[in-house]
Amino acid sequence: PADSVQMVTLPNGLRVLARRKRGAGVVAIVTYVGAGYFDEPDDVAGVSHVLEHMYFKGTPTRGVGEIARATKANGGILNAATIYDHTHYYTVLPAAGFEAGLDIQADAYANSLVDAGELARELEVIIEEAKRKADTPVAVANETLFALLHDRHRIRRWRIGREPGLRALTRDHVMGFYRNFYRPRNTVLAVVGDVDPAEAIAAVAARYGLVPDEPVVRTPGPVEPDPADGPLRYLELSGDVQQSELLLGWRTPGIMHADTPVMDLITAILSGGRASRLYRAVRDRRLASSIHSWNFTPGDLGMFIVHATTRPERATSALRAGWDQVRRVRDGEVSADEVERARRHVTAQWIRGLETAEGQANHLAAWELAGGWAKGSEYLDALISADSSAVRAVAGRWLGAERAALLVYRPANARAFADDGAAVTAILDGDRPDGVEPVSMSVPAATVHDGSSAWRLERREGEISVYRTTTGVPIVFQRVDGPVAHIGWFVNGGAVTETDDTAGITTLMARTALRGTERRTAKQVAEDVEFAGGVLSSGTGADSFQWTISVPVRHLAAAAELLADVVQRPAFRADAVESERAVALAEVAAIRDDMYRWPLRLATEAAWSGHPYGRHLLGNEASVGGIGTAELTKWHDAAALSARGVLVCVADTDPDDAVAALARRFTVLAASDAAQVVTPQWPIAAVERADPRDKAQSALAMFFPGPGRSDEARFTAKILAGVAS
């Protein structure tokens, strides 16, 4: 609510916002500075990101490392991020540590030293970060598309800088940027949490009020002309990657333009959730392992992007299907029900972003820096008030074929995608793919399969209540302040009981269960979830798996029925199995392109060779290739229905009411003992795995034996890991 936020502009120009979030137990302090990559002249490209790294490195009263140590000593976390039009810094601490945390933040803001020796060392870290980006297919593809879409604008540059330019940066460059842009008039500070807003603002004023203010001098980059109609812009890259990245892009208006909220609604229509157009037309048809769209608006410019990851041999079909769905939206083939589904999806996402103190503080600071914190609510109002005619008009203005660009990043050993833009246009103008079945706003199916409502309360500890059903299944409820309810079935077991021949079956089972039940098709599951503003998901670990759903609290009972249907009565239809199998195998390939996950994967296999912990949770082509409906049904019955599991509900509602909703619907589940896991044997001698790649960096992972989950030494090991890194 607007009246829950207090805002003051200090005499030096600093804008301060504060809001109490009762029951949070923590406080978030967020600082937004209106300076980023767009503010860097070419000769100091990357300097804003370098300053972000140096910001917490020390002040006259706090030496190198002391800011981080002092924050952790007060129970807090510390981080920062730089983007095109701003840089932000944040800390989240226990509420009792608010003033100590604020002292640290104010000191860093006003008194960062940027020591020359520390700068030289940190530049080496940043240069390696730039190389790591060059090894990341998605990062390369995204930033190359940005350059392809623009002819002059600074967004064409590699945003954190390249090695030669970074090595040329000096302390004077960094301090010059700091002293020019880190001024109160160019800064917003937001505080949200278990603190009194008036007292928080007074505390900020006492620490920041004397920071001197000076005008901020900006050096604008080249002005980008309005996009001209013309042939499709096209660029193709190749490299040491396993899959093809396909990115369609259009230039769109900035964040404050009246069309931008509608552009965000279009992204939800196209790729927001499993009932979205791109998900059903591309991913469900196994043309790509992932596809999504988004409208990126850093400041005064914007870009609408559709990004698919696919096997090279399916790239043409994936692109054509994605392009066709954009064309259908542009042509007005969007129903009122489809718009309503997208509205609810976006609204639910918006609410989830505001669940935490940190989320609320970032929301307030970001919108205030953009033009006024209240504009965030105005933006959402404009989005959810848009109708199908507005969608058609806005898509027609910005997403025309004459303003599109395509970036393809493919494996070096795959054949070229197309010779030029004209060839791409011919592909797009070829045979038109079939459409998708229209979304229909169905009333959630009537509750069925209600069973015994017998359960008992075992104990209460503060806001946590523990119940047990007559079949022995525990239900744990926690009451929290917030608009979203969360329900989950968490099971001990699964992948740890797989063999080499069945590796990946638990993940395949958990994911395919989301794609239809005995009484709901995949489309009906998706629609029932998304019209309720919910998110339904699954997860798998080495020795556990789960299904979860989150919805606005008012839909808790409907969500319990839907999750119970998915958990207890999945259909495992053949087409759904094939779709999820294709995605799993594509993810296995994608891991090899990830210079963080791939060495960890190799080290895991070496450390636990022959043990379930050493197998990949997704399996491989041989192990998952022969798994079908019968195998998944049998595995589900054995692993998910009679299991050592726990039902969990977290919501702002009466515990007995919530547990009644769960106990009446989860009637098939029964408690049993978890499978015994053979203790993995650590190699008796050092083991090494190596994989030569054509990459900018070398990646190294080292594993050592450590204490198990039941060993109290695990706490010491956790602290040692924190000390080390």
Side-chain angles (χ1 to χ4, degrees), residues 650-663:
V650 178
D652 186 8
T653 191
D654 180 78
D656 290 342
D657 290 346
V659 171
L662 269 64

Side-chain angles (χ1 to χ4, degrees), residues 31-36 85-89 109 181-182 186-188 369:
T31 304
Y32 272 61
V33 180
D85 57 346
H86 70 267
T87 304
H88 75 273
Y89 304 87
Y109 178 78
F181 288 104
Y182 283 54
N186 197 38
T187 304
V188 176
L369 191 66

Side-chain angles (χ1 to χ4, degrees), residues 556-574:
L556 187 147
E561 187 277 324
L562 178 55
L563 185 65
D565 198 28
V566 167
V567 167
Q568 298 176 137
R569 302 172 185 87
F572 301 122
R573 297 180 179 95

Side-chain angles (χ1 to χ4, degrees), residues 345 348-349 352 485 487 529-530 532-537 548-552:
H345 179 83
Q349 281 188 317
R352 288 184 184 86
I487 306 171
V529 171
E530 291 163 25
V535 174
L536 176 69
S537 60
T548 59
I549 190 170
S550 63
V551 294

Side-chain angles (χ1 to χ4, degrees), residues 341-401:
R341 185 204 68 84
R343 285 184 190 132
R344 296 189 186 193
H345 179 83
V346 172
T347 302
Q349 281 188 317
W350 195 279
I351 292 171
R352 288 184 184 86
L354 299 177
E355 277 193 285
T356 65
E358 179 187 343
Q360 292 184 16
N362 275 293
H363 172 90
L364 292 172
W367 278 103
E368 179 59 35
L369 191 66
W373 68 268
K375 291 185 180 296
S377 296
E378 295 171 8
Y379 186 92
L380 181 61
D381 289 342
L383 191 156
I384 61 178
S385 64
D387 58 16
S388 55
S389 62
V391 166
R392 178 176 184 173
V394 170
R397 273 195 288 275
W398 299 102
L399 303 182

Side-chain angles (χ1 to χ4, degrees), residues 5-138:
V5 178
Q6 293 189 27
M7 179 179 168
V8 171
T9 300
L10 302 184
N12 62 4
L14 179 72
R15 286 163 284 175
V16 185
L17 300 105
R19 183 179 188 275
R20 168 168 270 164
K21 188 178 189 303
R22 297 184 184 278
V26 298
V27 61
I29 306 168
V30 174
T31 304
Y32 272 61
V33 180
Y37 303 120
F38 288 165
D39 298 292
E40 304 166 346
D42 288 347
D43 61 337
V44 291
V47 68
S48 57
H49 179 244
V50 172
L51 176 56
E52 176 219 308
H53 276 244
M54 297 302 299
Y55 185 81
F56 291 130
K57 284 288 187 179
T59 70
T61 58
R62 290 181 170 89
V64 175
E66 182 55 32
I67 287 176
R69 282 194 293 271
T71 300
K72 287 187 176 182
N74 284 282
I77 61 170
L78 193 69
N79 217 328
T82 309
I83 194 59
Y84 292 102
D85 57 346
H86 70 267
T87 304
H88 75 273
Y89 304 87
Y90 67 89
T91 185
V92 181
L93 311 98
F98 168 60
E99 297 220 3
L102 190 63
D103 281 340
I104 295 167
Q105 292 292 307
D107 191 22
Y109 178 78
N111 304 308
S112 286
L113 284 177
V114 188
D115 175 78
E118 277 299 311
L119 175 61
R121 285 186 285 274
E122 197 64 26
L123 280 173
E124 296 300 324
V125 174
I126 296 168
I127 288 167
E128 291 305 312
E129 184 180 348
K131 291 179 179 178
R132 186 166 65 250
K133 276 189 63 180
D135 288 338
T136 305
V138 171

